[in-house]
């Protein structure tokens, strides 16, 4: 019993030491106070914010701009709840955040981007940085200004060195990964002509599929987001000129028209999508999926079949986005969501590498880091 407890304690200590070693650094927050006059504000009217760790050495003129993720709000009620959190107010954001994974500043743990200028744009609008409604209801004081936040942050960074960028990568996770697709071409248009610009979407390829009850849950949900936030005018015109704006919140209808090289990193069994798109709570009133969503080892054969069908639909929806010879994909079959922000999912010394050994979901596909660099440098 004593040996067992000592072994568990030792494992905990080793894990903590490894975490401290790979965590990177803590980066302070920058508030874009000048943006308030432009109406570029969070849901509660507070200024937008970002965290920036300056590049050095060979990376001094290379920039990684990363969108924070965190879902969306699709009606006044949940936007009011959201504005009481860091996802709706910069007043509630931590003064420092850890940069790890793709944001790490240590070469052994992020060999391709460690010395780039790395910026994390905080997410406080609830629309993947697409909203723009001028009117503010005094009863709620909700501001739907995500698109303005995006432009205000870029305008703040340009004179700080972004205008001299030789390489620029726009990335993001989840709702931020969606933003990196929706704003990919506009990002390129905001930078100097000579800049090499690429985009990376991590777990942002949300697909239009019916839930287990047969209802178009996510289609309705995205339509509510686009309508509430006034997002239509900020979605890619290449899509909205032929489709209903709410469809243009789905990457499968936007990605084929993106002209800037786009890299998609996603799990085909995306855990967030399976929990919230395939089997959302309102499609499972008896809670049949609850245990399965928490641990796939608890899934029944029928539930596993539904998940496999979801994977097939995901790959079909992804197919048209792979036509460009300048883009790329990294699709694994793990039950996961977001693989760039945490060190264990991004790059570790004992991780497998493409082409050299069999990939194993338990290793979290940390080799993605080196694979991404092929896209950036090509």
């Amino acid at each position: 019993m004593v040996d067992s407890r000592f072994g568990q304690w030792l494992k905990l200590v080793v894990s903590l030491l490894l975490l401290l070693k790979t965590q990177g650094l803590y980066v302070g927050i920058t508030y874009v106070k000048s943006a308030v006059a432009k109406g570029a504000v969070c849901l509660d009217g507070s200024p937008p914010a970002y965290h920036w760790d300056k590049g050095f050495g060979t990376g001094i003129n290379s920039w990684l701009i990363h969108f924070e993720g965190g879902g969306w709000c699709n009606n006044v009620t949940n936007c009011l709840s959201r504005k009481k959190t860091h996802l709706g107010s910069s007043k509630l954001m931590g003064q420092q955040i850890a940069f790890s994974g793709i944001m790490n500043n240590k070469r052994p743990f992020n060999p391709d981007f460690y010395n780039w200028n790395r910026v994390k744009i905080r997410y406080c609008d609830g629309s993947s940085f697409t909203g723009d409604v001028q009117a503010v209801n005094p009863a709620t004081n909700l501001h739907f200004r995500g698109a303005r936040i995006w432009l205000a942050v870029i305008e703040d960074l340009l004179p700080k060195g972004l205008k001299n960028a030789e390489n620029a990568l726009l990335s993001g996770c989840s709702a931020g990964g969606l933003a990196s697709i929706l704003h990919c071409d506009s990002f390129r248009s905001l930078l100097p002509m000579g800049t090499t610009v690429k985009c990376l979407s991590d777990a942002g390829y949300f697909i239009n599929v019916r839930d287990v009850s047969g209802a178009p849950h996510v289609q309705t949900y995205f339509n509510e987001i686009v309508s509430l936030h006034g997002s239509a005018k900020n979605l890619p015109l290449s899509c909205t000129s032929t489709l209903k704006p709410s469809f243009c919140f789905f990457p499968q209808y936007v990605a084929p028209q993106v002209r800037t090289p786009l890299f998609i990193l996603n799990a085909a069994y995306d855990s967030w999508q399976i929990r919230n798109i395939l089997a959302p709570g309102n499609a499972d009133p008896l809670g049949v999926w609850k245990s399965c969503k928490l641990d796939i080892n608890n899934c029944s054969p029928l539930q596993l079949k539904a998940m496999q069908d979801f994977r097939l639909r995901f790959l079909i929806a992804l197919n048209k986005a792979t036509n460009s010879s300048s883009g790329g994909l990294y699709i694994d079959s793990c039950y996961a969501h977001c693989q760039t922000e945490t060190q264990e999912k991004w790059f570790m010394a004992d991780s497998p590498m493409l082409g050299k050994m069999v990939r194993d979901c338990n290793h979290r596909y940390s080799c993605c880091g080196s694979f991404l660099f092929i896209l950036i440098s090509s």
Side-chain angles (χ1 to χ4, degrees):
M1 178 65 75
V2 174
D3 288 343
S4 176
R5 288 180 179 177
F6 178 76
Q8 292 175 354
W9 176 84
L10 186 60
K11 288 180 180 179
L12 178 61
V13 171
V14 171
S15 297
L16 288 173
L17 289 174
L18 181 62
L19 177 64
L20 289 172
K21 182 179 179 182
T22 62
Q23 191 64 43
L25 77 163
Y26 282 84
V27 179
I29 196 166
T30 298
Y31 298 101
V32 189
K33 295 180 180 179
S34 61
V36 176
K38 304 172 186 176
V41 293
C42 300
L43 285 171
D44 70 335
S46 57
Y50 61 84
H51 301 256
W52 172 31
D53 186 42
K54 295 182 180 181
F56 59 92
T58 57
I60 197 167
N61 288 322
S62 294
W63 289 74
L64 168 57
I65 310 293
H66 187 82
F67 286 117
E68 181 180 28
W72 309 271
C73 59
N74 64 320
N75 57 51
V76 170
T77 300
N78 60 39
C79 285
L80 283 172
S81 297
R82 188 182 182 95
K83 84 169 187 175
K84 298 175 183 177
T85 74
H86 70 279
L87 290 171
S89 172
S90 63
K91 298 176 183 178
L92 302 173
M93 294 175 183
Q95 294 299 297
Q96 292 187 325
I97 61 171
F99 271 21
S100 61
I102 196 172
M103 307 297 282
N104 202 309
N105 71 328
K106 297 178 181 177
R107 188 171 187 170
F109 305 112
N110 188 26
D112 301 320
F113 308 112
Y114 74 98
N115 64 348
W116 286 33
N117 292 277
R118 284 153 292 109
V119 178
K120 187 166 188 176
I121 304 178
R122 300 304 299 270
Y123 184 33
C124 63
D125 66 275
S127 70
S128 285
F129 299 88
T130 63
D132 192 354
V133 176
Q134 178 63 31
V136 177
N137 186 337
T140 62
N141 196 38
L142 284 171
H143 299 72
F144 303 113
R145 307 283 178 76
R148 297 192 198 186
I149 289 175
W150 156 240
L151 291 175
V153 169
I154 295 299
E155 288 172 2
D156 193 67
L157 290 170
L158 283 169
K160 294 179 178 179
L162 183 57
K163 66 180 180 181
N164 301 317
E166 297 172 359
N167 300 290
L169 173 64
L170 182 67
S171 68
C173 160
S174 193
L178 172 59
S180 70
I181 296 175
L182 299 178
H183 290 298
C184 186
D185 283 338
S186 69
F187 180 56
R188 183 177 66 171
S189 70
L190 294 169
L191 298 179
M193 288 291 292
T195 307
T196 299
V197 181
K198 309 287 174 81
C199 302
L200 160 66
S201 172
D202 176 12
Y205 206 90
F206 300 94
I207 66 170
N208 186 8
V209 64
R210 291 179 178 269
D211 63 30
V212 291
S213 73
H217 168 75
V218 70
Q219 187 180 124
T220 300
Y221 183 64
F222 276 8
N223 182 63
E224 291 169 349
I225 294 168
V226 170
S227 177
L228 177 68
H229 290 266
S231 299
K233 57 182 173 290
N234 296 309
L235 297 173
L237 183 60
S238 59
C239 180
T240 57
S241 61
T242 59
L243 293 175
K244 183 180 177 182
S246 60
F247 280 92
C248 299
F249 214 66
F250 288 101
Q252 68 199 77
Y253 306 118
V254 174
Q257 283 78 45
V258 173
R259 300 184 303 278
T260 306
L262 171 65
F263 192 98
I264 296 167
L265 167 62
N266 223 106
Y269 294 102
D270 187 299
S271 58
W272 191 94
Q273 293 196 56
I274 287 174
R275 292 166 182 161
N276 296 281
I277 293 180
L278 177 64
N282 57 1
D284 182 33
L286 299 180
V288 176
W289 276 81
K290 185 176 181 180
S291 179
C292 171
K293 290 191 292 184
L294 291 173
D295 184 346
I296 58 174
N297 291 312
N298 298 328
C299 297
S300 69
L302 285 177
Q303 289 170 330
L304 290 174
K305 176 63 166 56
M307 292 168 66
Q308 291 164 353
D309 289 343
F310 175 88
R311 173 185 175 275
L312 179 61
R313 293 190 183 97
F314 179 88
L315 296 176
I316 291 172
L318 187 68
N319 184 53
K320 290 184 178 180
T322 64
N323 293 334
S324 172
S325 61
S326 62
L329 304 165
Y330 192 106
I331 310 300
D332 60 54
S333 292
C334 293
Y335 188 62
H337 186 68
C338 290
Q339 302 181 64
T340 60
E341 293 186 336
T342 56
Q343 199 59 51
E344 66 271 16
K345 293 181 182 178
W346 176 245
F347 193 92
M348 294 291 282
D350 62 346
S351 298
M353 293 182 289
L354 288 170
K356 291 189 177 181
M357 58 191 300
V358 177
R359 298 189 297 271
D360 180 354
C361 283
N362 292 328
H363 286 285
R364 315 283 186 147
Y365 291 86
S366 305
C367 49
C368 298
S370 296
F371 192 55
L372 283 175
F373 187 65
I374 296 172
L375 174 73
I376 296 302
S377 60
S378 61

